[in-house]
Amino acid sequence: MTMDATRYEDGSISYPGHPRGPGGTEPVETIDLSEYTAEVVTWTTSTATPPGVREPNHLAIVEFDVEGEPVRAIGQLTTGDVETGDEVQPVYVDELREPGAGIREPESQEWDGYRFEPV
């Protein structure tokens, strides 16, 4: 599994990718962010989580540096033991939440993804 960001004709990169970049530019390549580390920009802990989401749920906005281009992402942390400025790496997990606990049919979406773990 990859954590795909998209680079556009103007050199900008977004995560997740979109059919059009800033100014309507075309996508030109994908970049696997799981091969990079990021810096914690800010983080929080949610103690009132939706059904099937772990409690407490530690979340962060992180910033990757991809060849000088900043790319931000939001996601779960593996621990609440982080500080702003810490270096983290994406780690793959099979289930970000319990598939049967929500209102959606479990087969209707994917449940896997990435959490950020301190390096």
Side-chain angles (χ1 to χ4, degrees), residues 31-99:
I31 297 161
D32 183 2
L33 293 178
S34 70
E35 297 175 0
Y36 293 82
T37 60
E39 182 178 310
V40 174
V41 175
T42 189
W43 63 276
T44 191
T45 297
S46 172
T47 56
T49 62
V53 176
R54 67 188 178 158
E55 188 179 324
N57 190 26
H58 310 292
L59 303 163
I61 295 173
V62 302
E63 185 171 277
F64 294 88
D65 180 341
V66 180
E67 300 163 12
E69 187 69 28
V71 182
R72 287 194 175 183
I74 186 170
Q76 295 180 351
L77 292 159
T78 60
T79 177
D81 188 22
V82 296
E83 296 295 333
T84 298
D86 284 355
E87 186 177 6
V88 293
Q89 63 187 4
V91 292
Y92 177 78
V93 293
D94 289 329
E95 290 183 358
L96 292 172
R97 63 186 300 172
E98 161 60 41

Side-chain angles (χ1 to χ4, degrees), residues 6-13 19-29:
T6 302
R7 185 187 313 265
Y8 302 93
E9 291 171 330
D10 65 357
S12 63
I13 303 170
R20 296 274 187 226
T25 58
E26 295 279 336
V28 293
E29 73 173 311

